[in-house]
Each structure stands twice: as structure tokens, then as C-alpha cells.
Amino acid sequence: MVRFKNRYIALRIDPNKLPSNSVYKISSSALYHSILNKVQQLHGDFGTASIKVGFSAKYCNELTRMAIIRVRHGPHKFITSTLPLVKEIDQEKVVIHTLYVGATLLHCNKFLQKYQRRKLEELWLHMKPNGREELEKLVMDLDVSKLTTKMRKNH
């Protein structure tokens, strides 16, 4: 039996027209197809065929604009070279930042938690002291509906 190694890539998606505190609706399939189309443009049929087997968008968060994609080890280099050149998702202009490339989903998750903790501490600088604990619970739970209502109340 052969074991296939995967790479998990953590991304931050920044839309050009939306402010940083608004919710950006993105689907996993839209992210998948935009990356696949860009790989087709840059690396041709060989690049598309090599990544297509194990490639999937595992996680997309609308509020934090984070995403995790999975691709097989080896062909992940096609994806990492293509990500900075993806400029559109669902006819909306975006900038994609590669944050982390890891071997397991667990390590990618740990990285995203640390990253979100740093962003949370940056938010705390601009908030009233009494709302910090509640906001921390909401951000770390990643429940989008509760977090958007809380952010609207504090601003």
C-alpha cells in the first residue's frame, strides 16, 4: 500500500473593494475553480492533471477571510507558484496571500489559531475593555453569525 502525502496551504483572501471589517461571501467551489483555471493558464494540461487528483478547498471562513486548501505533495509547487497570480474569484477582484504550508491539517489549524490570536490582539487595541472576553470567545469559536452581530454592537 502506498501512502500519499498531502500539503495543506493556509490562505488569506483580501477582496479589493470591500472594507476589512465586512463579511466576504466565498464558497469552496469558487476558490477551487479559480485556482484550477489559473493553474491551467500557467502550467497547462500537465499542471492541471497533476494537481487535480488530491486538490480540494477544505475550509473557507467568510469573516476572517481565511481558507485552507489540500493538494498532494509534489504538485503543491504548482499551486504555491500560482496563488499570488490569482486575481479573481467569482468575477470579484481579490488578492490571495499564502500564510502557511504544512504537512497536516492539525498544524495548519494550529497556525491559523495563532494567526487569529495575533489579529484579535490587534483588534483589542481599538476596543473598549469590557467586550474583549466575549469577542475572544466568539473569534476562537469561529461562529460567523454571532461574531458579526457582536462587532456591529461594539463599533
Side-chain angles (χ1 to χ4, degrees):
M1 175 160 283
V2 177
R3 186 181 93 124
F4 293 109
K5 294 181 180 178
N6 291 319
R7 290 294 176 254
Y8 295 89
I9 303 169
L11 313 169
R12 187 180 79 229
I13 302 166
D14 293 332
N16 290 344
K17 294 182 180 177
L18 291 177
S20 62
N21 59 356
S22 66
V23 176
Y24 174 57
K25 300 277 185 190
I26 183 169
S27 67
S28 297
S29 63
L31 180 64
Y32 171 84
H33 289 297
S34 62
I35 293 172
L36 194 65
N37 290 338
K38 189 53 83 169
V39 169
Q40 173 66 37
Q41 287 176 357
L42 296 174
H43 300 290
D45 291 336
F46 178 74
T48 305
S50 62
I51 68 161
K52 208 166 191 180
V53 173
F55 179 51
S56 67
K58 300 296 281 180
Y59 169 76
C60 289
N61 190 327
E62 297 174 347
L63 188 64
T64 60
R65 299 174 181 175
M66 301 291 175
I68 298 175
I69 58 174
R70 182 191 70 199
V71 66
R72 287 185 43 199
H73 181 347
H76 76 281
K77 294 177 184 174
F78 291 124
I79 299 277
T80 55
S81 67
T82 303
L83 283 174
L85 303 173
V86 174
K87 301 295 179 195
E88 239 181 38
I89 298 175
D90 277 345
Q91 291 94 27
E92 189 164 342
K93 300 222 181 270
V94 296
V95 176
I96 296 179
H97 303 280
T98 304
L99 300 175
Y100 179 76
V101 179
T104 64
L105 189 58
L106 179 67
H107 281 108
C108 210
N109 240 350
K110 285 181 182 179
F111 172 81
L112 282 180
Q113 284 180 348
K114 288 179 187 175
Y115 183 82
Q116 287 176 329
R117 171 69 61 183
R118 284 187 300 229
K119 290 295 181 182
L120 182 64
E121 288 171 359
E122 289 175 13
L123 278 175
W124 282 347
L125 295 175
H126 306 292
M127 282 188 66
K128 300 172 189 168
N130 58 358
R132 291 182 181 181
E133 293 83 16
E134 294 174 29
L135 185 62
E136 178 182 6
K137 289 177 187 175
L138 293 173
V139 167
M140 298 315 282
D141 284 344
L142 299 175
D143 188 3
V144 176
S145 61
K146 291 179 185 176
L147 187 57
T148 54
T149 56
K150 179 66 178 170
M151 288 183 75
R152 286 184 193 137
K153 288 179 184 176
N154 282 337
H155 288 304

